[in-house]
Amino acid sequence: MKLAITDQSLPRYHLLGTLIVVLTLALTLGGSFMWMAQGEHLQVIQRLEKSFEVKKQERLRTEMAAAIGYLDFVHSRTEAVLKNALQDKVSMAIQTAQGIYAREHGRRPEGEVKRLIIEALRHQRFFDGRGYFFVDDQQGTCILLPIAPALEGSSLWDNRDDRGHYIMRGLVDAARSDPAGGLSRYRWYSPDDPRKMSDKLAFVRLFEPYGWVIGTGDYLYKWEEMRLREGLDRLRAWSFGDTGRFMVMDDEGRMLTPLHGADAERPPLESAVTPQEKATRQRLLSLGRAGGGMAEFPWPGRASDSQETRSALVEVYAPWKIIVVASLVNDEMQAALASEKDSAAAALRARMPQFIGMTVVAAALALGASLLFSRWMSSLFRAYHARIDAHTRTLEKQAGELRLAGHVFESSREGIIITDPETRILAVNPAFTAITGFSSDDVLGRSPGVLRSGYHAPDFYESMWSSIRDTGSWSGEIYNRRKDGHVYPEQISISTVHGPDGEVRHYVGTFLDISERKEAEIRIRHLAEFDTLTQLPNRALLTDRLSQAIALARRSGDKLAVLFIDLDRFKNINDSLGHAMGDRILQEVAARLCLIVRESDTVSRLGGDEFVVLVTGLEHAGNAMPTAQKILASLGRPYQLDDHELQLTPSIGIAIYPDNGSDNESLLKNADAAMYHAKSSGRNNFQFFTPELNQWVTDRLRIENGLRHALEREEMQIHYQPQVDLGSGRIVGCEALLRWYPAEGGPIPPDRFIPVAEETGLIHPIGLWVLDEACRQLAQWDAEGAAEIRMAVNVAVPQLRRHTFVEQVAAILARHRLASGRLEIEVTESVFLDPDAQIRETLHNLTDMGVKLSLDDFGTGYSSLSYLKNFRFDVLKIDRSFVSELARSHDDMTLVRAISSIARDMSLITVAEGIESEEQQRILNELGCNLGQGYLFSRPIPASEFRRLVMPAS
Ligand SMILES: Nc1nc2c(ncn2[C@@H]2O[C@@H]3COP(=O)(O)O[C@H]4[C@@H](O)[C@H](n5cnc6c(=O)[nH]c(N)nc65)O[C@@H]4COP(=O)(O)O[C@H]3[C@H]2O)c(=O)[nH]1
């Protein structure tokens, strides 16, 4: 059976187990108590039995001791009794002699008297006939011997017994020893067996009148037999307890004292009543002969047919050579024993309920205690379990952390190297192998020095280890060598792992191959310092190099030149051919610039089409000029890009250190200003910075700032220049030209502020305002009855990029209730070059709306007649530059003719700009040009003046 171990079940199992154990223990204990009690009871019984046995034996011994004592007493008294008897008899004889002597002395002769006395004594017998008196004189002559009268008168002085004792001499000595008489021992022929002598005791006394020795004596054994009989009689009558009796046998097994009166006295062993009795007597006899002891034997009971078992103590009484058996019937003791057993059993029975009760109470108490204990254990278990859980969680966490650490070690992207305190490599991870090429087998047990590249000097490692020893760690970059010999940079952290006592256990190094990072850093630095398109130093690096060059020049006293180069109308290329093409041109420009300058000089690109060339080591400012000229020549050469051959010119501004500034900022700013000046000086030239340029730059800044507030300050005005039909001279339209009259300073021409407005985005509000104002004015003139003319408004390319522009135009026309055909939008050729689709869409939408489109400055830029096919222009404006030299330039005339011809073919109206002379007007008219515009007809004039030109003459 599989137990489900849970947090809940475990305490229950514990409780159950505890209860089972406790119950088992309680029952076992109870059972043990009872078993022990039973055992004790049995022991009591055994003790009782033993004690009864002991008692029985003691009783037997006591009785036996008493009997033996008695026999001893009787036996010991034999001589004394005999002596007394002898004394009594001799006293009687002396009295008899004395009585006769007293009565007859003096009256009868001495001899007569003596005979009377002898005869008086001769016939006296006593002691069962054995006793008699003898008389001897003190010389041993026998005077009276009734049993052998023949010996009377003879001397018995030398008479001896079988042991050589002089009998007579002993008697005479005994009589003389004491006037009251004395005892004498000797042996004499036994009456029962005359062939052998027996001990005999005689008492003698001197009869003074005659000096006779009168005495008598008797055999001691006879007296002992008498004493024995006396003793046996006593024992026969001796009983103890109910059944205690003595039985005496002689050493032949004859029964001297029967156990019961019924038992035969003195029967020989052979004539025992039954074989059993014979066997018993034989056993008791053997035991007696062996010295005695305890025995148990069956014996017929007093009642007929009864049989009793007797316990007996057998002893030999040596003086009489008799075997004394003290016995009692076992049953007599058994009854008492049974009674004791009963009372012990009763006591045991009485204790049983007590045991059971105690067992039940103990079990109950133990159960209660075990319940409480179990509850307590449960709480302990819960607490312990909680602790175990916490430990387990901690261990799991630690195990997880170890697993994680192991996983991290194995899967770390960082190389990890672990050494012992002697820097012998103990472990490396897979990343180590991946980075260094060394397998763990290659490096285990070796020093990390195996990776040394030789790139660092020894003091580098000394300082590294010094730091590790002092602070416990070091981190930094090290160049190491891979297994294949390649040196690579790594970022490494080395830390010390200490043991509990602070001793160094390990060094752990974690490192990353930072080759890529290094390369990235180089790339980033390159990006930070170099222009990605041209790979030339960017503004940041230029600034850096310029600073260095300034510092160098300051020390050397040389001059240096900053050439600020801006490509003229590069924006148009970008707009028309796209940025990719623009980028290629910029790269080509960069390449050409690098070919021009010396190695020590710096060519940089600031951004867009702006380049700066830094020329150092100049003796004087003029030395910069050849470089500038070379740049002009080089950059002015055509650029062949795919099918396009493009012409570009640079404008170059030059600032000289220390003449035009002594720091980066001022030198760059002034070169920039000089460049602007070159631009404003017709582009494709270089200009040295002059103090006056400062003013120019300041002005530009002023323009920019002023423009921001020009509209709200109502500083803007529109002047209108008429467009005249060259054939009829009639005004058919006008061009709205913006004029700015800042509150401070004089008017600023549109050529100066329109580019700034375009650059700053201010062109949007300004352009809208122009459109609105021009339309409003036209509507006003219409309202005033002026001739119906068309209004041409210049719109900059950035305005066309706004998808809201068309709506705004429509709104303006609607607001002023003008037919869309009355408005002519003038755009420059750069619109063709701008790839922004929005421009094309704006132009299409405008023509869809009915607004006329006019292409300004036609022929100056990159216009191609093919573009005209893609856009629905209405008007071509021939640039002023073709008109001004028209009279003298055949080329210009040819061009104007060609333009007019094509325009005609395409149903376009041609407008010649900048007609200042009637000759120009004439030629243009002849060349087929439709309309003209120029000072010849009118300068741009305020609305009020223009109104007079278009109002019908009143
Ligand atoms: N030398 C000479 N010049 C003549 C003659 N007839 C006209 N001009 C000048 O030629 C310019 C014609 O304007 P544009 O080519 O559109 O060239 C304009 C036009 O591109 C731009 N511009 C003027 N107003 C606006 C405007 O509201 N918006 C935009 N985007 N550009 C404008 O500024 C340019 C210059 O405008 P302005 O200084 O007003 O110069 C005007 C005008 O005064 C002449 O016979 N001889």
Side-chain angles (χ1 to χ4, degrees), residues 718 721 735-739 749-751 753-754 758 763 766-767 770 793-796 799 826 828 856-857 877 879-880 913-916 920 933-936 938-940:
I718 297 177
Q721 188 177 38
E735 181 180 3
L737 292 161
L738 186 57
R739 295 294 178 262
D751 282 339
F753 73 79
I754 290 294
E758 286 185 18
I763 192 67
I766 292 172
V770 171
V793 177
N794 288 285
V795 170
Q799 291 178 268
E826 277 193 26
T828 60
D856 205 1
D857 305 332
K877 294 189 79 175
D879 190 68
R880 192 168 68 230
E913 290 181 308
I915 302 174
E916 293 182 353
Q920 290 169 339
Q933 184 181 341
Y935 295 165
L936 177 64
S938 170
R939 285 177 177 270

Side-chain angles (χ1 to χ4, degrees), residues 503-534:
E503 79 284 5
V504 173
R505 282 272 178 87
H506 302 290
Y507 294 108
V508 177
T510 57
F511 62 93
L512 271 177
D513 181 349
I514 55 169
S515 305
E516 288 183 7
R517 198 176 82 195
K518 282 275 177 194
E519 285 164 16
E521 279 174 11
I522 291 168
R523 276 204 302 278
I524 288 165
R525 197 159 57 240
H526 190 82
L527 281 174
E529 294 180 341
F530 289 86
D531 170 44
T532 47
L533 180 65
T534 62

